[in-house]
Amino acid sequence: EVHLVESGGGLVQPGGSLTLSCAASGFTFSSYAMSWVRQAPGNGQEWVSHINSGGGSTYYTDSVKGRFTISRDNAKNTLYLQMNSLKPEDTAVYYCAKQSGAAIRLDGRNNYDYWGQGTQVTVSS
C-alpha cells in the first residue's frame, strides 16, 4: 500500500522558515510526479508546488514563488518543501500528494491518487 507521511510542520513567526518532508513508500517513488497541496481554514485545497519524477521540472503557485522550493531525493524516497519568508497567509495544513504520472500537468487535470495525512503549518506572531 502507498504511504505518504509528512513531517516538519509547526508554529513559526512571520518571516521565518520551515522545511517539510514527505517520506514515501509502497511505490516506485522515482517514477512519479509529486505535489504539495495546502488547505487553509475556510478554503478549498490549493496546489502549492509540483515536481516531476526526476526533479528537473518544478512549478509553484504565484503566491509562493521566490519563497518556497520543492525538491526530492529519489534515492531516499523523500519529497521536501523548503519554505522561507513565511507569511500568515501560508497558514494551512500541507499535504504531500502523489500524482498518477511522471510528468507535471498544469491544465487542471493533475490526478493526485494518494495523499499523506497532512502537517499543520501555522505562521503567527
Side-chain angles (χ1 to χ4, degrees):
E1 181 179 347
V2 171
H3 285 94
L4 301 170
V5 181
E6 300 97 333
S7 61
L11 175 64
V12 64
Q13 293 187 344
S17 297
L18 284 174
T19 300
L20 306 183
S21 298
C22 172
S25 61
F27 67 102
T28 304
F29 180 71
S30 61
S31 294
Y32 295 93
M34 298 291 295
S35 299
W36 289 99
V37 182
R38 68 187 180 188
Q39 185 168 17
N43 294 334
Q45 292 181 328
E46 173 192 29
W47 77 273
V48 176
S49 186
H50 305 302
I51 187 167
N52 74 332
S53 61
S57 296
T58 59
Y59 293 88
Y60 303 90
T61 195
D62 285 346
S63 64
V64 310
K65 286 181 179 177
R67 300 188 297 120
F68 290 12
T69 303
I70 190 171
S71 62
R72 65 194 297 161
D73 187 337
N74 284 343
K76 297 181 179 179
N77 291 343
T78 303
L79 177 73
Y80 303 97
L81 185 67
Q82 175 67 49
M83 304 185 294
N84 298 323
S85 301
L86 283 161
K87 304 174 180 180
E89 67 191 54
D90 295 318
T91 296
V93 177
Y94 284 72
Y95 297 91
C96 171
K98 173 189 176 293
Q99 295 199 29
S100 61
I104 299 165
R105 299 188 66 157
L106 298 175
D107 59 359
R109 298 182 185 272
N110 291 286
N111 182 11
Y112 310 127
D113 54 7
Y114 292 94
W115 299 75
Q117 83 288 349
T119 186
Q120 176 70 50
V121 172
T122 302
V123 185
S124 177
S125 60

